[in-house]
Amino acid sequence: HASSKMDAIDQMVSLMNKQGNVSDKEAYKEAVIERENLSTTGMVDGIAIPHARTTAITQAGIAAMTLPEGVDYQSMDGQPTTLIFLIGAPDNGDNVHLQVLSELSTLLMDHDFCEDLKNAGTPEEFLSIIDLAGGNQPIYNEDKSILIMYNGEVYNYKELKEELTEYKFETESDTEVVLHGYEKWGHDLPKKLR
């Protein structure tokens, strides 16, 4: 539940901070608000995508929240916002946040996808909907000798990905980590998954 746009931003910044990629929570929040003051990121159809590029972010990240009761986010169509994605990107010269914003906006054009997200009963269900839409499955390894189609959550996929630097990743999904993890560890992979 969020009582206002500022309350929603507070909650979203706290969610992003829990990911461990925010070096200065207050500076990040200020950057998000500064971007909102330029023009609202409350789009149409109940969707808002606040974002900021700042040195207060150490690694790009995204946080999401559903608000079934809606909140006045000063959206372009004047309707309450029920689905918010917050994007954080480091201010290091690249435009990764624009790429994420573009890919997310493309996904959010699918009405059924948005409705499925808004109706997700748990965070795990929410993430599995995004995985199915954003994983571009099936995913193949480099020489196309192995493919994977997968729906589930690997909570330690970022840590595992750090152990798979010899592989070229085409996505940011945990599915591709499972694929390359299988290539590296074979039948020992399940022991590593959390």
Side-chain angles (χ1 to χ4, degrees):
H1 172 76
S3 58
S4 66
K5 180 177 182 175
M6 290 310 299
D7 184 30
I9 289 172
D10 277 343
Q11 290 184 46
M12 294 299 295
V13 168
S14 291
L15 278 174
M16 183 71 78
N17 191 50
K18 286 181 182 177
Q19 295 180 24
N21 59 339
V22 180
S23 62
D24 185 333
K25 184 178 173 183
E26 285 307 309
Y28 176 53
K29 180 180 167 183
E30 287 174 25
V32 171
I33 292 168
E34 184 177 312
R35 169 57 190 85
E36 281 300 316
N37 289 338
L38 292 175
S39 65
T40 185
T41 59
M43 306 307 188
V44 296
D45 297 327
I47 298 167
I49 312 175
H51 52 278
R53 185 171 70 174
T54 172
T55 56
I57 293 287
T58 57
Q59 182 177 352
I62 190 165
M65 179 168 65
T66 59
L67 297 165
E69 68 287 349
V71 66
D72 180 1
Y73 206 89
Q74 301 165 334
S75 61
M76 294 176 186
D77 62 3
Q79 297 301 308
T81 295
T82 54
L83 183 58
I84 303 175
F85 287 91
L86 175 65
I87 299 170
D91 192 7
N92 59 7
D94 69 17
N95 287 319
V96 68
H97 71 295
L98 296 178
Q99 180 182 353
V100 171
L101 189 58
S102 173
E103 290 177 20
L104 184 58
S105 297
T106 300
L107 284 174
L108 294 174
M109 284 191 256
D110 181 336
H111 177 76
D112 291 337
F113 173 73
C114 291
E115 288 305 306
D116 288 346
L117 289 177
K118 291 175 186 178
N119 294 320
T122 65
E124 292 78 17
E125 183 181 355
F126 188 95
L127 290 171
S128 72
I129 293 164
I130 291 174
D131 272 354
L132 288 175
N136 298 321
Q137 295 190 38
I139 296 176
Y140 293 88
N141 65 340
E142 287 94 339
D143 67 6
K144 306 261 191 265
S145 63
I146 302 173
L147 73 84
I148 185 172
M149 289 186 72
Y150 169 79
N151 182 19
E153 294 304 318
V154 177
Y155 296 102
N156 64 332
Y157 80 95
K158 289 181 181 176
E159 292 85 2
L160 292 176
K161 186 175 180 180
E162 291 174 6
E163 297 180 43
L164 298 167
T165 55
E166 65 269 34
Y167 298 96
K168 181 180 177 200
F169 283 81
E170 299 292 332
T171 72
E172 293 298 319
S173 74
D174 58 355
T175 302
E176 192 171 11
V177 170
V178 172
L179 174 74
H180 293 308
Y182 177 75
E183 286 185 282
K184 181 170 185 170
W185 299 301
H187 295 295
D188 289 330
L189 172 65
K191 296 174 190 168
K192 294 182 145 305
L193 302 177
R194 302 283 175 265

